Amino acid sequence: MAETDRRPTDEVRQPEPPLPEESGLTLEEYLAMQQAIGHPTRFRILRTLVANNELSAAKLKSAVGVEPHNFHYHLDELVDVGLVDKRQRRTADSQGFYTYYRPTAMGCGILKHGVEELMRREREFNEAYS
């Protein structure tokens, strides 16, 4: 059996850079998105928007069941990091102006390929070994 080259070394290997040089977003922006989606209320808001494509603030708040004083704080966090788009109707109807929210492509992607992917894999693992 050949001896392998396992010399002890004091050198620590550095990982490759996480993003390509021409990345459209910075590492800090990606991390801010991950941090935003990591809060249970924001996770529920984003999941509800992805399931419905677009909702008014009133319908979204009702669907998610969040206290009114916390709702807009969490929704604004998702908008600020680019996971949710906000649009306001330009003309009023009999009930006034409405603000609508919808997930961005990045919002859909982080949900589908991030947290939900991990949960899907756990389900598959549990099914395979139970």
Side-chain angles (χ1 to χ4, degrees):
M1 180 172 193
E3 186 176 318
T4 59
D5 187 17
R6 294 191 177 214
R7 288 175 277 153
T9 180
D10 292 334
E11 189 175 321
V12 176
R13 291 185 309 238
Q14 293 296 317
E16 294 292 319
L19 298 172
E21 286 184 33
E22 61 280 346
S23 177
L25 297 173
T26 66
L27 176 61
E28 289 75 18
E29 289 170 317
Y30 278 110
L31 294 176
M33 289 178 190
Q34 282 295 132
Q35 183 177 5
I37 192 72
H39 190 281
T41 298
R42 292 190 288 268
F43 177 73
R44 287 195 332 263
I45 289 171
L46 186 58
R47 283 192 83 221
T48 302
L49 285 173
V50 168
N52 291 278
N53 192 38
E54 181 176 76
L55 291 171
S56 69
K59 285 186 178 181
L60 180 58
K61 181 172 44 173
S62 176
V64 176
V66 178
E67 293 294 323
H69 63 279
N70 287 330
F71 175 71
H72 284 286
Y73 168 78
H74 290 298
L75 194 51
D76 289 344
E77 287 288 315
L78 292 169
V79 170
D80 288 347
V81 298
L83 298 177
V84 171
D85 274 337
K86 171 183 175 180
R87 76 172 176 88
Q88 292 181 312
R89 186 186 303 170
R90 296 187 185 272
T91 57
D93 64 7
S94 62
Q95 298 176 345
F97 291 97
Y98 277 98
T99 303
Y100 292 88
Y101 295 90
R102 66 178 176 207
T104 62
M106 191 64 81
C108 292
I110 201 170
L111 193 64
K112 181 179 179 184
H113 301 291
V115 177
E116 287 188 340
E117 176 66 14
L118 291 172
M119 290 187 287
R120 184 186 65 74
R121 288 182 181 190
E122 181 180 359
R123 261 192 310 276
E124 289 174 356
F125 179 81
N126 287 340
E127 289 170 3
Y129 292 98
S130 56

